[in-house]
Amino acid sequence: MTPILLSSLDLIGTFAFAISGATLGVRKRLDLFGVLTLSFAAATAGGITRDIIIGAHPPAAFADWRYLATAMLAGVVTFFGHDRVERMRNPVQLFDAVGLALFAVSGTAKALEYGIGPTGAILLGMLSGIGGGIARDVLVAEIPAVLHRELYAVAALLGAALVAAGSALGFPFAPTAIAGAGACFLLRFMAIRRGWNLPIARLRDVDD
Amino acid sequence: MTPILLSSLDLIGTFAFAISGATLGVRKRLDLFGVLTLSFAAATAGGITRDIIIGAHPPAAFADWRYLATAMLAGVVTFFGHDRVERMRNPVQLFDAVGLALFAVSGTAKALEYGIGPTGAILLGMLSGIGGGIARDVLVAEIPAVLHRELYAVAALLGAALVAAGSALGFPFAPTAIAGAGACFLLRFMAIRRGWNLPIARLRDVDD
Amino acid sequence: MTPILLSSLDLIGTFAFAISGATLGVRKRLDLFGVLTLSFAAATAGGITRDIIIGAHPPAAFADWRYLATAMLAGVVTFFGHDRVERMRNPVQLFDAVGLALFAVSGTAKALEYGIGPTGAILLGMLSGIGGGIARDVLVAEIPAVLHRELYAVAALLGAALVAAGSALGFPFAPTAIAGAGACFLLRFMAIRRGWNLPIARLRDVDD
């Protein structure tokens, strides 16, 4: 994977996540700034958190203006074309799965590069993929969807684990990254199609 | 602006933000510790987040006891004099606008000083101004007011942008900072007076 | 206190906090991943936040796999044995108080070690103890229990203050740490037994 391709995919993921943030902001009746904030948070919070944890100062979202520009573009498009975006829900979910796959893989790779061990790197790769959605939902006072949605985090975990395993076994990065991103995307895609979910605990007494 | 004046204004801003946190805590029926926590969070979360992102360890709020002392003082005053503080809502909003203006300006300047580019520095200046209010509202499980309130973040953005522009053009800091803080304060002040708001998206179908 | 003992106690605290997170996750009907996320967040968010603030990269929770393993074990046990865990509420609260005491003490010590002054170190010690519970509650969109629960944070504050005072007076670490942890545990234990609470502000008009 050339850096240009990687960077393009990264911005596509940013765009897709930003749309998910903006869509939620519009539904919650936030003003234009609120919608743009959710765009930016959904698109960048995962990577920012990862960079803060591994000590990469400043995080890419603040060092490279293209992330901000991409998130703002997605936010403005969603703000003014909200009806159309809602009708396109399927393509948006596809983009979102692409973003998840790419962020999980690149997040794991970046953590390994900074000397984090495999367990930590897998966690941070997953966090890179799901952190934006968590920030987005916490900002509108909702329980993060990732905590109860079809195999979202598990898909990120799978992609991250493949990258960490490949690195530990000394495989070259490109095929490992493609395998990790592909597996993450496929699992997420199938979970959406088939409605696959993780179990929830059986409660004898519902006390809530 | 001498360092002493700057530092005094910084503590005034801290005090004003802490009052906004403590007032919310009292309304939510938190105990004394909860009220003091909201004071501290509202007054310092913006600056702490900025310092973490730019890699300034430790953040000023943990290195200089005057921030804690100021926030605690504001919290205790509000806790025991809650009725009086509520009646003074106008002065509190004025102080808050002063705090916003100053934090936006000093936050941008600090980010530039740490080598962040202009786009990132503007974002971080705005975040310094609005981060405390976001943390305050998230801690009581509410959607942050800044996401749907009269030109609050936009005012911070304006102040931050003027400082970044002045720095890029090689202007001396003092007049730039005064212009940035003044513009931020004025815009926020007028927005409160006139009830200026940003637009929210038109929805064809209200599906919430 | 030998490092092995300290480390064992640290993992006991991690286990207890993870159980509190997992229990909340099960009650909120999260799926298995959501429950494990709350386990990990409750057990490690306080220490992660402390490490980010003092600039300890990477935080222990990402560098040492035993924290993740301990939190996952507690999460799985709670997920599959939820009824039994709920019935053991008393032992869980005891473990939780042990965790609070230990995290407050070790958090203060680590902050001092990184050159933070006493005020900041006390704050960070307290934050190490209560941060996990705050993250856990924010993730399920609730007001953190620590903001309105029996002397929880105050107990952590007491433990942290004793460690900082002992360090400032040049006392050796072991007895100081034992005194700090003991005082924190005792105060929290008595507060649970006796229902001790901090005051909340009297409101003339309930305007909410």
Side-chain angles (χ1 to χ4, degrees):
Chain A
M1 241 187 284
T2 66
I4 289 177
L5 177 59
L6 194 62
S7 173
S8 308
L9 288 177
D10 211 13
L11 291 176
I12 290 174
T14 300
F15 192 81
F17 279 146
I19 282 182
S20 80
T23 303
L24 185 60
V26 168
R27 282 190 204 154
K28 289 281 174 180
R29 318 292 296 148
L30 301 185
D31 67 23
L32 178 56
F33 174 79
V35 169
L36 295 180
T37 302
L38 280 198
S39 301
F40 186 71
T44 63
I48 291 174
T49 308
R50 177 204 58 218
D51 288 351
I52 287 175
I53 287 174
I54 63 177
H57 298 298
F62 292 98
D64 182 340
W65 62 269
R66 292 177 306 166
Y67 289 95
L68 176 65
T70 303
M72 294 302 96
L73 179 63
V76 168
V77 164
T78 306
F79 187 83
F80 290 106
H82 181 255
D83 293 328
R84 233 158 304 165
V85 170
E86 286 277 5
R87 249 177 279 133
M88 292 200 332
R89 189 173 294 184
N90 265 353
V92 170
Q93 276 200 328
L94 272 195
F95 271 118
D96 184 74
V98 171
L100 182 70
L102 193 86
F103 282 12
V105 165
S106 65
T108 310
K110 189 163 183 182
L112 290 169
E113 202 180 292
Y114 271 74
I116 311 286
T119 312
I122 292 173
L123 272 182
L124 285 166
M126 184 185 71
L127 186 61
S128 306
I130 70 175
I134 291 177
R136 175 197 65 201
D137 295 345
V138 165
L139 280 175
V140 296
E142 289 197 345
I143 298 182
V146 66
L147 298 183
H148 49 77
R149 196 159 69 176
E150 320 89 359
L151 300 189
Y152 196 88
V154 173
L157 201 56
L158 175 64
L162 287 177
V163 171
S167 162
L169 297 170
F171 289 0
F173 177 63
T176 310
I178 291 170
C184 171
F185 176 81
L186 265 180
L187 178 54
R188 174 67 186 140
F189 181 77
M190 293 305 291
I192 294 173
R193 289 279 140 160
R194 304 275 170 96
W196 288 344
N197 274 297
L198 284 182
I200 66 174
R202 259 178 282 167
L203 291 181
R204 214 153 295 171
D205 319 297
V206 176
D207 61 320
D208 219 56
Chain B
M1 241 188 282
T2 66
I4 289 176
L5 177 58
L6 195 63
S7 172
S8 307
L9 289 176
D10 211 14
L11 291 176
I12 291 175
T14 300
F15 192 82
F17 279 145
I19 283 183
S20 81
T23 303
L24 185 61
V26 169
R27 283 193 203 153
K28 290 281 173 183
R29 318 292 298 148
L30 302 184
D31 67 22
L32 178 57
F33 174 79
V35 169
L36 294 181
T37 302
L38 280 198
S39 300
F40 187 71
T44 64
I48 291 173
T49 309
R50 177 205 57 219
D51 287 351
I52 287 174
I53 286 174
I54 63 178
H57 298 298
F62 292 97
D64 182 342
W65 62 270
R66 292 177 306 166
Y67 289 96
L68 176 65
T70 303
M72 294 303 96
L73 178 65
V76 168
V77 164
T78 305
F79 188 82
F80 290 105
H82 181 253
D83 293 328
R84 234 159 304 165
V85 169
E86 286 278 4
R87 252 178 275 133
M88 289 201 332
R89 187 173 296 183
N90 267 352
V92 170
Q93 276 199 330
L94 273 194
F95 272 118
D96 184 76
V98 170
L100 182 71
L102 193 86
F103 282 12
V105 164
S106 65
T108 310
K110 189 164 184 183
L112 289 169
E113 203 181 288
Y114 272 75
I116 312 286
T119 311
I122 292 173
L123 273 182
L124 285 167
M126 185 185 70
L127 187 62
S128 306
I130 71 175
I134 291 177
R136 175 198 67 203
D137 295 345
V138 165
L139 280 175
V140 296
E142 288 198 342
I143 299 182
V146 65
L147 298 184
H148 51 78
R149 196 159 70 175
E150 321 89 1
L151 300 187
Y152 197 89
V154 173
L157 201 56
L158 175 64
L162 287 177
V163 172
S167 162
L169 297 170
F171 289 178
F173 177 62
T176 309
I178 291 171
C184 171
F185 176 81
L186 265 180
L187 178 54
R188 173 68 186 140
F189 181 78
M190 294 303 293
I192 295 172
R193 289 279 140 161
R194 304 276 170 94
W196 289 343
N197 274 294
L198 284 182
I200 65 174
R202 260 178 282 169
L203 291 180
R204 215 155 294 172
D205 319 297
V206 177
D207 60 320
D208 219 60
Chain C
M1 236 186 289
T2 66
I4 289 175
L5 176 59
L6 195 63
S7 172
S8 308
L9 288 177
D10 211 14
L11 291 176
I12 291 175
T14 300
F15 192 81
F17 279 147
I19 282 183
S20 80
T23 303
L24 185 62
V26 169
R27 284 193 202 152
K28 290 280 174 182
R29 318 293 296 147
L30 302 184
D31 67 23
L32 177 56
F33 174 79
V35 169
L36 295 180
T37 303
L38 280 199
S39 300
F40 186 71
T44 64
I48 291 174
T49 308
R50 177 204 59 218
D51 287 352
I52 287 175
I53 286 175
I54 63 177
H57 298 297
F62 292 98
D64 182 343
W65 63 269
R66 292 177 305 166
Y67 289 96
L68 175 65
T70 303
M72 295 302 95
L73 178 64
V76 168
V77 165
T78 306
F79 188 82
F80 291 105
H82 181 254
D83 293 328
R84 234 158 304 166
V85 170
E86 286 277 4
R87 250 177 279 133
M88 291 200 335
R89 189 174 295 184
N90 266 354
V92 170
Q93 275 199 331
L94 272 194
F95 272 119
D96 184 76
V98 171
L100 182 71
L102 193 86
F103 281 13
V105 165
S106 65
T108 310
K110 187 161 185 185
L112 289 168
E113 202 180 290
Y114 271 75
I116 312 285
T119 312
I122 292 172
L123 273 181
L124 286 167
M126 183 184 71
L127 186 61
S128 306
I130 70 175
I134 291 178
R136 175 198 66 201
D137 295 346
V138 165
L139 280 175
V140 296
E142 289 198 344
I143 299 183
V146 65
L147 298 183
H148 50 79
R149 196 160 68 175
E150 320 90 0
L151 300 188
Y152 196 89
V154 173
L157 200 56
L158 175 64
L162 287 177
V163 171
S167 162
L169 297 169
F171 289 0
F173 178 64
T176 310
I178 292 170
C184 171
F185 176 81
L186 265 181
L187 178 55
R188 173 67 187 141
F189 181 77
M190 293 304 292
I192 295 173
R193 288 278 139 161
R194 303 277 169 94
W196 288 344
N197 274 296
L198 283 183
I200 66 172
R202 259 178 282 168
L203 291 181
R204 214 154 293 171
D205 320 297
V206 176
D207 61 320
D208 218 55

